[in-house]
């Protein structure tokens, strides 16, 4: 009995360590010091295979999906939903686009203001007090650019002012005011949505590093723990789990990364959480469970992954979000 328990604990250690490695790093096994008899009884193929095999995770430990889209030909589809595309961009690109949109808009209208002044001949009558220019105190492209910024941002310094003797300037003023409001609404809305995304809220949601299989109330269960570090609660929190494992159908079709639901209390309501303290999530291994046909000896050899997704509404911001976890 002692040797069997040592072998069982050693197998669990190997399985736990293999799930704790990075995506591209090889699995390194640190075997504990065991009696010689226990080391001899340990299946050799498990220790050899796990030291050489690399584990490619579907979802990393930080919750980010390790999937990269390649050979996407219809890239124009990203531009049809430009708002979501901008929100999904990284912060450095988002800030760059934010600055570039405003700068290009100011330069574009500044150029038009300068062309109007140039075509009307305002540049030739800068010092002429009897000449009524389109925009007073506009004597070059730099001053036209500054007037464009003042107009779109409604700063209104009062030094450069449009006159009523320039109908084309009045029309341009209306166009720039309307387009400037649209640009402000679009860019500020994009930045607000990106700032208020609940992704960072997931940093204070903690999943247990390992899942365990044990008896509970006379039933064999797969269990893991989830907890919230913040005092603000997750409203209407619900949890679900997926088993990521390759599958071969009865017709011989091979399905890589097949997703199978793991019942964590959907029919009993246990999947809806009141997450004010750490909770233990349990999955009963019965005939409907995807683990039913996997034996204890076969489990360390299986290429599988369990992804846990916690959904809910952030109480502080009222925004929905989901947090994927990896076991």
């Amino acid at each position: 009995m002692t040797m069997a328990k040592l072998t069982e604990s050693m197998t669990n250690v190997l399985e736990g360590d293999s799930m704790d490695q990075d995506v591209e790093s090889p699995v390194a096994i640190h075997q504990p010091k065991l009696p010689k008899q226990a080391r001899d009884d340990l299946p050799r193929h498990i220790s050899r295979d796990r030291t050489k095999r690399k584990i490619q995770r579907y979802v990393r430990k930080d919750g980010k999906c390790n999937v990269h889209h390649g050979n996407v030909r219809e890239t124009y589809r990203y531009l049809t939903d430009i708002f979501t595309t901008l929100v999904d961009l990284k912060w450095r690109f988002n800030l760059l686009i934010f600055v570039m949109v405003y700068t290009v808009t100011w330069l574009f209208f500044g150029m038009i203001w300068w062309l109007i002044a140039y075509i009307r001949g305002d540049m030739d009558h800068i010092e002429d007090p009897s000449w009524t220019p389109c925009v007073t105190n506009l004597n070059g492209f730099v001053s036209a650019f500054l007037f464009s910024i003042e107009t779109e941002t409604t700063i209104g310094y009062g030094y450069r002012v449009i006159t009523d003797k320039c109908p084309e300037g009045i029309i341009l003023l209306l166009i720039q005011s309307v387009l400037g409001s649209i640009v402000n609404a679009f860019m500020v809305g994009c930045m607000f949505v990106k700032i208020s995304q609940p992704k960072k809220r997931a940093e204070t949601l903690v999943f247990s590093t390992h899942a365990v299989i044990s008896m509970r109330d006379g039933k064999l269960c797969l269990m893991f723990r989830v907890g919230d570090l913040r005092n603000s609660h997750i409203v209407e929190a619900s949890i679900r789990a997926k088993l990521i494992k390759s599958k071969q159908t009865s017709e011989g079709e091979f399905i890589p990364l097949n997703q199978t639901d793991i019942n964590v209390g959907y029919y009993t309501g246990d999947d809806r959480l009141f997450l004010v303290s750490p909770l233990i999530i349990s999955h009963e291994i019965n005939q409907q469970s995807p683990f039913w046909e996997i034996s204890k000896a076969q489990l360390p050899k299986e290429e599988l992954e369990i992804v846990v997704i916690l959904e809910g509404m952030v109480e502080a911001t009222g925004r929905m979000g989901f947090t994927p976890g990896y076991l």
Side-chain angles (χ1 to χ4, degrees):
M1 293 296 293
T2 304
M3 301 308 300
K5 290 182 178 179
L6 288 174
T7 304
E8 177 185 353
S9 62
M10 184 59 190
T11 305
N12 292 335
V13 169
L14 293 176
E15 180 64 19
D17 289 343
S18 66
M19 286 188 173
D20 229 2
Q21 304 300 321
D22 292 332
V23 177
E24 300 296 338
S25 61
V27 178
I29 302 299
H30 302 283
Q31 297 184 1
K33 294 182 179 179
L34 296 176
K36 182 177 182 301
Q37 294 81 0
R39 294 198 298 270
D40 292 339
D41 292 341
L42 184 67
R44 297 182 180 275
H45 64 278
I46 296 178
S47 59
R48 291 198 199 100
D49 294 343
R50 291 198 174 274
T51 53
K52 297 179 181 179
R53 188 176 59 185
K54 293 182 179 180
I55 295 179
Q56 298 292 333
R57 287 180 174 171
Y58 190 70
V59 176
R60 297 202 299 261
K61 277 290 189 180
D62 56 1
K64 296 181 180 179
C65 294
N66 193 23
V67 177
H68 303 281
H69 298 285
N71 298 325
V72 180
R73 297 180 180 179
E74 298 179 353
T75 54
Y76 67 90
R77 294 182 180 272
Y78 293 104
L79 298 178
T80 57
D81 188 11
I82 187 64
F83 187 83
T84 306
T85 302
L86 290 177
V87 173
D88 290 340
L89 287 176
K90 295 182 179 179
W91 268 108
R92 54 180 177 270
F93 298 116
N94 206 293
L95 292 175
L96 177 62
I97 293 175
F98 186 87
V99 174
M100 290 298 297
V101 166
Y102 279 105
T103 304
V104 170
T105 305
W106 296 335
L107 286 172
F108 174 75
F109 283 103
M111 177 65 70
I112 297 179
W113 283 113
W114 178 81
L115 286 175
I116 291 176
Y118 180 80
I119 294 172
R120 293 182 78 257
D122 294 345
M123 300 300 177
D124 300 330
H125 302 82
I126 296 177
E127 301 296 335
D128 188 0
S130 62
W131 179 265
T132 303
C134 183
V135 179
T136 58
N137 299 313
L138 195 151
N139 51 18
F141 176 75
V142 176
S143 58
F145 175 67
L146 293 175
F147 180 72
S148 175
I149 297 176
E150 295 167 10
T151 301
E152 190 165 333
T153 57
T154 64
I155 293 178
Y157 288 121
Y159 183 69
R160 298 177 186 86
V161 182
I162 187 173
T163 61
D164 57 355
K165 304 298 182 180
C166 182
E168 61 271 22
I170 296 175
I171 295 175
L172 180 61
L173 179 65
L174 294 175
I175 295 174
Q176 185 175 6
S177 299
V178 173
L179 290 181
S181 300
I182 295 175
V183 170
N184 289 334
F186 184 83
M187 297 308 300
V188 173
C190 178
M191 295 297 292
F192 174 77
V193 172
K194 191 168 182 62
I195 291 173
S196 60
Q197 279 185 318
K199 290 183 178 179
K200 292 300 180 182
R201 181 64 173 86
E203 300 294 334
T204 52
L205 291 173
V206 183
F207 291 87
S208 55
T209 306
H210 305 289
V212 298
I213 296 178
S214 179
M215 298 297 295
R216 170 176 277 194
D217 295 332
K219 301 176 182 178
L220 191 63
C221 297
L222 170 71
M223 294 176 288
F224 58 91
R225 181 174 291 183
V226 60
D228 189 5
L229 301 180
R230 287 188 179 273
N231 293 326
S232 59
H233 304 316
I234 302 293
V235 183
E236 298 181 2
S238 62
I239 195 166
R240 52 195 174 97
K242 291 282 187 179
L243 174 65
I244 311 297
K245 180 186 176 185
S246 300
K247 175 185 177 182
Q248 188 168 6
T249 63
S250 57
E251 294 81 10
E253 179 186 2
F254 179 74
I255 304 177
L257 301 177
N258 182 64
Q259 299 184 14
T260 306
D261 281 328
I262 300 177
N263 185 14
V264 289
Y266 177 78
Y267 297 104
T268 60
D270 292 337
D271 61 329
R272 294 185 289 273
L273 309 179
F274 183 49
L275 201 60
V276 295
S277 62
L279 299 176
I280 297 177
I281 311 300
S282 177
H283 163 70
E284 181 184 349
I285 302 179
N286 51 26
Q287 293 183 354
Q288 287 74 35
S289 173
F291 301 102
W292 178 255
E293 297 181 355
I294 302 177
S295 64
K296 178 180 177 182
Q298 185 183 356
L299 184 60
K301 310 174 191 177
E302 288 289 334
E303 294 284 349
L304 55 85
E305 184 173 335
I306 300 175
V307 178
V308 181
I309 301 173
L310 176 65
E311 296 177 292
M313 182 180 296
V314 181
E315 183 184 34
T317 61
R319 296 189 63 85
M320 293 292 294
F322 74 94
T323 304
Y326 177 89
L327 298 177

